[in-house]
Amino acid sequence: MAAVAARAGAARAGFRRMFSVSAFAPPPPPAARPAAEPCNNLFVSGLNKRTTTDGLREAFSKFGHVTEARVITDRISGYSRGFGFVKYATVEEAGEGIKGMDGKFLDGWVIFAEYAKERQAQQSPQSSGTPSSGYQYSR
């Protein structure tokens, strides 16, 4: 009787193993983003929702002349969306700003600073009477 139970248990384990193995491979890991070219404009992420533009400017002004600072805010609440931009007078000052503030605390949160990337030009929909929803159809 014990031998029959052992074989039944082994058969169940075999079925589990057979059906639990997926025939699909997991997706490949995402490709690393290419680093942006050094420029005088920095992208700052990880901001606290209470961080203001003046607070961002003050924190980064220790490393050079900040010509412009902007925290991107939510239209409804007015709080920070968690990122912003800082523009320095020179590329060298921007590099010092990255060295000085990347991985540091600002308003209790760890922030990350890197060179900003050029915005990709968006293709406008063709103006041949098609709706502006992005879908196109032929008549």
Side-chain angles (χ1 to χ4, degrees), residues 39-90:
C39 62
N40 62 342
N41 197 12
L42 303 182
F43 172 73
V44 183
S45 60
L47 296 176
N48 186 329
K49 70 177 187 175
R50 303 273 184 190
T51 300
T52 62
T53 297
D54 292 334
L56 186 66
R57 178 187 304 274
E58 184 179 324
F60 278 85
S61 65
K62 299 172 190 171
F63 306 100
H65 178 66
V66 175
T67 59
E68 185 180 339
R70 183 171 179 211
V71 173
I72 307 303
T73 57
D74 183 69
R75 290 180 186 164
I76 296 170
S77 68
Y79 290 125
S80 166
R81 291 185 58 199
F83 66 95
F85 296 92
V86 176
K87 191 171 194 174
Y88 281 97
T90 65

Side-chain angles (χ1 to χ4, degrees), residues 58-132:
E58 184 179 324
F60 278 85
S61 65
K62 299 172 190 171
F63 306 100
H65 178 66
V66 175
T67 59
E68 185 180 339
R70 183 171 179 211
V71 173
I72 307 303
T73 57
D74 183 69
R75 290 180 186 164
I76 296 170
S77 68
Y79 290 125
S80 166
R81 291 185 58 199
F83 66 95
F85 296 92
V86 176
K87 191 171 194 174
Y88 281 97
T90 65
V91 176
E92 291 79 20
E93 290 174 342
E96 290 297 317
I98 289 175
K99 286 180 195 171
M101 290 301 292
D102 187 39
K104 301 295 191 267
F105 282 93
L106 179 63
D107 295 333
W109 288 34
V110 176
I111 64 168
F112 302 97
E114 60 185 279
Y115 293 113
K117 296 181 181 134
E118 283 272 337
R119 185 183 274 190
Q120 298 286 337
Q122 295 180 350
Q123 294 180 356
S124 62
Q126 295 178 359
S127 60
S128 61
T130 59
S132 62

